[in-house]
Every structure is written in C-alpha cells, then in structure tokens.
Amino acid sequence: MSAHKYAPKRDANHARIVEVFESLGFSVKDVSMVPKFVDILVARFERTHLVEIKRDDKTTSPSRLKKTSDLAGWWKAPIYVVRNAEDVVTLSLKLKP
C-alpha cells in the first residue's frame, strides 16, 4: 500500500493561515495528519486552541465538516474554524487574555 494513500489533504490556504497565526505571536503545531482531529493547534498567552482550516470559497460540504463534528461530540472547549487571514485576525482579537 502506498504511504501517500493516507497523507493528509491540506487546504490551499493552510500555509498562509499558519503564517498569519505565527505573525500574530502564536505558536502553531500542524496536526492535520491525525485522523478525525483538527488541522492545527495554536497557543498564545499560555492557552492552547484547536483550529480547523477550511477552504475560503465558503462552500464547505457537510462531509468536509465531519472531522470537526466528530471531535465536537466530546471536546469540552471551542473548536475554531478559519478560512482566511481576516478570520485569523478576528480570532486573534477574540483570544486576547
């Protein structure tokens, strides 16, 4: 079986979103390779947050949201969804201490 068969499919905006989080002072850990989990963990001000990255075309199908909704069934904290740099900046302001 090919090692690439289960390789994560990152959204085209993944690298840019990570870059924006880092420019705003967040530590970022890419965990997109973990099945049924979020795409990245971000941390700042001694708090860690779960973040799902979605395409910026605003048409995310229900099957593309399934990964996050599976986790949401038992996770007891917010799971943030970002689509673009503007979403990252907005979230950054919301996550101030």
Side-chain angles (χ1 to χ4, degrees), residues 2-86:
S2 168
H4 297 289
K5 181 171 182 165
Y6 298 106
K9 290 185 179 179
R10 290 190 182 106
D11 292 299
N13 54 346
H14 189 102
R16 175 68 180 135
I17 286 175
V18 167
E19 180 182 288
V20 175
F21 269 118
E22 290 175 340
S23 75
L24 294 170
F26 286 86
S27 298
V28 179
K29 178 65 176 172
D30 186 339
V31 291
S32 59
M33 73 295 295
V34 178
K36 298 190 179 205
F37 199 57
V38 295
D39 291 317
I40 58 175
L41 301 175
V42 299
R44 187 175 69 168
F45 306 126
E46 299 182 5
R47 292 199 170 100
T48 302
H49 308 281
L50 282 66
V51 179
E52 181 69 14
I53 298 171
K54 293 297 178 193
R55 294 186 325 236
D56 194 21
D57 61 13
K58 308 292 186 206
T59 58
T60 304
S61 70
S63 63
R64 289 188 49 82
L65 288 174
K66 185 171 180 10
K67 179 170 75 170
T68 305
S69 63
D70 286 349
L71 180 61
W74 59 270
W75 188 251
K76 303 292 188 230
I79 299 170
Y80 300 102
V81 176
V82 295
R83 290 182 164 82
N84 52 46
E86 184 178 330

